[in-house]
């Protein structure tokens, strides 16, 4: 398994409840990695094999993917903070892939997307139109609506299939198809421009780390040339310089987020070499090779682990430098490594999936056993339940929609313009 896939487990449990003996979210995410539809056999509204196959086929036919659908028992809500929407987000965070996610949890339906706007509204519309027909009808209509959105449509259509023969309506459809094709091209062009802008932003933030390492190296260059210096300190210093040069070259060559993984690894290597050089210059032995400080890898190797949780998230043991460990134990905020994303400063672990490969390079060399499920959920979005800055990843989608299959009153949504409970009784 590539290190970047191991990273897909490096921040996820920070915003999820501690793993239970039965991990419905984890089971769903593992299954959805290879199959767009997962049905827990214990789900109250479980689909039959034929119904699940029909949803899979519709996703393919309508070009709605990447779209992931999970049908889970009501007990799974405990893993999503008590709501179906929380379960949807937890699955997305655990799977760690951009796309559209939908879940029927017990008798509740919710959906959201990291890359398609309007998904929450369409989830609500599909639910309202077909809740009396059952889960399969709602899911099929929702798939149709997502396919329309991905094709450049405005959504809020009727979904499903319709009749009618050729004639004036067909002629009127021709200009609409032309306009739709143009909208799709514009959408793709906009997305490419957004990706280029995000990559440039990532590059600038990574360069800040590179500059910090360079400053550290320059501050030590005279010390290692002094007479009587431990030769091993000079070896460590040279190693840091080599790692810096390698990272500098890789940053210039990077053309995708994945290209920044070796940059992160080189920076971590250089920082540790500098720490080792300083320790030797001070007459102490080489330090133990430990993971970098989680809160700011520029702080160097961690001194110990400390229990910490992001706002609204579950406590988790994370590696920290001694200064940050003491801050956390005093109830203070650690000195987080902040990056600039969309004009806003935020901790790197909330900056979005584009930063996952870079962080994977810094932490991946220490193995999955040390960081079981520590990183990607937070890298994909903030612990408050959104993606990064509240809107979806890359200014794409939104969250919300759906409702309850039976029980409750109609209510307003909290995310994406949809959501709430819908009455009408049980199936």
């Amino acid at each position: 398994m590539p290190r970047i896939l191991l990273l897909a487990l490096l921040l996820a449990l920070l915003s999820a409840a501690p793993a239970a003996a039965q991990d419905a979210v984890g089971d769903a995410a593992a299954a959805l990695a290879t199959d767009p539809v997962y049905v827990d056999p214990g789900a109250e509204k479980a689909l039959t094999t034929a119904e699940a196959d029909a949803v899979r086929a519709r996703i393919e036919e309508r070009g709605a993917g990447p779209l992931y659908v999970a049908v889970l028992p009501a007990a799974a809500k405990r893993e999503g903070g008590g709501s179906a929407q929380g379960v949807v987000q937890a699955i997305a965070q655990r799977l760690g892939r951009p796309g559209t996610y939908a879940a029927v949890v017990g008798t509740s339906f919710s959906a959201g997307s990291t890359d398609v706007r309007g998904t929450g509204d369409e989830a609500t519309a599909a639910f309202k139109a077909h809740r009396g027909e059952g889960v399969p009808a709602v899911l099929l209509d929702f798939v149709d609506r997502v396919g329309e959105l991905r094709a450049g449509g405005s959504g809020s259509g009727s979904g499903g299939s319709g009749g009618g023969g050729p004639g004036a309506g067909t002629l009127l459809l021709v200009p609409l198809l032309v306009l739709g094709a143009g909208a799709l091209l514009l959408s793709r062009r906009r997305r490419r421009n957004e990706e280029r802008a995000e990559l440039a932003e990532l590059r600038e933030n990574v360069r800040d780390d590179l500059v910090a390492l360079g400053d550290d190296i320059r501050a030590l260059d005279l010390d290692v040339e002094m007479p009587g210096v431990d030769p091993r300190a000079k070896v460590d210093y040279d190693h840091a310089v080599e790692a810096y040069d390698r990272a500098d070259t890789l940053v210039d060559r990077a053309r995708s987020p994945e290209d920044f993984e070796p940059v992160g690894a080189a920076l971590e290597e250089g920082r540790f070499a500098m720490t080792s050089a300083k320790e030797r210059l001070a007459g102490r032995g080489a330090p133990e090779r430990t993971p970098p400080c989680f809160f700011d890898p520029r702080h160097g190797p961690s001194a110990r682990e400390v229990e910490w949780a992001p706002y609204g998230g579950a406590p988790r043991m994370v590696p920290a430098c001694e200064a940050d460990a003491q801050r956390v134990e005093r109830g203070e905020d650690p000195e987080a490594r902040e990056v600039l994303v969309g004009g806003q400063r935020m901790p790197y672990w909330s900056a979005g999936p584009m930063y996952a490969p870079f962080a994977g390079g810094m932490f991946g060399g220490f193995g999955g056993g040390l960081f079981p499920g520590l990183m990607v959920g937070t890298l994909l979005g903030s612990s408050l339940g959104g993606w990064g800055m509240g809107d979806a990843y890359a200014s794409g989608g939104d969250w919300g929609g759906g409702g309850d299959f039976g029980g409750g009153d109609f209510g307003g949504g909290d995310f994406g313009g949809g959501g709430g409970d819908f009455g009408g009784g049980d199936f």
Side-chain angles (χ1 to χ4, degrees):
M1 180 184 294
R3 284 194 299 176
I4 187 54
L5 293 185
L6 291 177
L7 177 65
L9 296 173
L10 190 59
L11 291 172
L13 296 184
L14 286 174
S15 57
Q22 183 173 352
D23 183 5
V25 167
D27 291 344
L32 291 172
T34 57
D35 186 341
V37 179
Y38 170 73
V39 180
D40 188 307
E44 290 84 350
K45 299 294 181 182
L47 303 179
T48 66
T49 299
E51 289 168 342
D53 287 342
V55 175
R56 292 185 184 95
R58 189 68 68 90
I59 292 173
E60 179 69 23
E61 291 169 5
R62 303 299 188 188
L67 194 162
Y68 307 98
V69 178
V71 183
L72 305 175
K77 289 183 181 180
R78 291 195 298 265
E79 301 174 48
S83 70
Q85 181 186 319
V87 171
V88 172
Q89 291 174 303
I91 291 173
Q93 292 172 346
R94 189 76 66 91
L95 184 57
R97 296 178 183 175
T100 300
Y101 293 80
V104 176
V105 190
T107 60
S108 300
F109 170 59
S110 185
S113 183
T114 70
D115 57 358
V116 178
R117 285 194 180 279
T119 303
D121 290 338
E122 297 307 313
T124 298
F127 179 81
K128 292 173 67 176
H130 299 283
R131 66 178 181 264
E133 302 167 47
V135 172
V138 170
L139 291 177
L140 290 173
D141 188 11
F142 177 65
V143 170
D144 291 346
R145 293 169 183 273
V146 173
E148 181 183 351
L149 290 175
R150 288 198 180 280
S154 61
S156 299
S158 61
S161 59
T170 303
L171 295 177
L172 290 173
L173 185 61
V174 173
L176 293 177
L177 290 174
V178 173
L179 291 174
L184 179 59
L185 290 175
L186 289 175
S187 175
R188 289 177 175 174
R189 180 179 300 175
R190 185 186 68 176
R191 179 61 189 144
R192 285 195 298 269
N193 290 337
E194 289 174 347
E195 288 175 346
R196 281 194 290 267
E198 290 165 357
L199 190 66
E201 193 172 56
L202 170 62
R203 193 187 311 274
E204 287 304 308
N205 284 318
V206 171
R207 281 203 174 278
D208 288 344
D209 282 30
L210 190 64
V211 168
L213 176 59
D215 291 342
D216 202 22
I217 289 173
R218 281 188 290 274
L220 208 65
D221 55 5
L222 293 179
D223 294 335
V224 296
E225 299 297 336
M226 297 295 290
V229 166
D230 186 337
R232 293 172 297 180
K234 183 64 164 66
V235 171
D236 288 334
Y237 175 85
D238 291 341
H239 188 181
V241 172
E242 185 276 329
Y244 171 89
D245 290 340
R246 178 159 29 101
D248 189 32
T249 300
L250 290 170
V251 167
D252 290 336
R253 293 178 179 175
R255 295 296 179 269
S256 71
E258 289 72 24
D259 293 339
F260 285 90
E261 182 181 2
V263 178
L267 287 173
E268 188 280 327
E269 187 179 334
R271 291 181 189 123
F272 178 78
M274 285 301 298
T275 300
S276 182
K278 292 174 183 177
E279 289 293 299
R280 294 188 190 279
L281 287 172
R284 297 183 288 268
E288 179 185 359
R289 186 70 178 270
T290 61
C293 175
F294 169 79
F295 302 110
D296 189 343
R298 297 177 303 181
H299 293 169
S302 56
R304 57 189 173 96
E305 290 190 337
V306 65
E307 187 177 66
W308 172 83
Y311 180 79
R316 186 75 182 173
M317 298 302 293
V318 297
C321 65
E322 185 59 32
D324 275 333
Q326 291 185 21
R327 290 187 186 95
V328 171
E329 289 171 343
R330 291 194 301 265
E332 302 172 1
D333 290 332
E335 288 190 356
R337 165 68 172 110
E338 292 189 339
V339 293
L340 190 64
V341 179
Q344 299 184 38
R345 301 202 67 82
M346 63 184 65
Y348 77 96
W349 59 78
S350 295
M354 189 161 281
Y355 288 77
F358 176 59
M362 292 187 289
F363 291 95
F366 297 93
L370 185 61
F371 294 97
L374 180 64
M375 231 160 143
V376 144
T378 312
L379 277 169
L380 287 179
S382 74
S383 61
L384 297 178
W387 291 93
M389 296 176 289
D391 236 346
Y393 167 48
S395 301
D398 52 14
W399 294 96
D404 289 346
F405 292 102
D409 299 319
F410 182 87
D414 295 327
F415 291 80
D421 297 329
F422 297 84
D426 296 329
F427 284 102

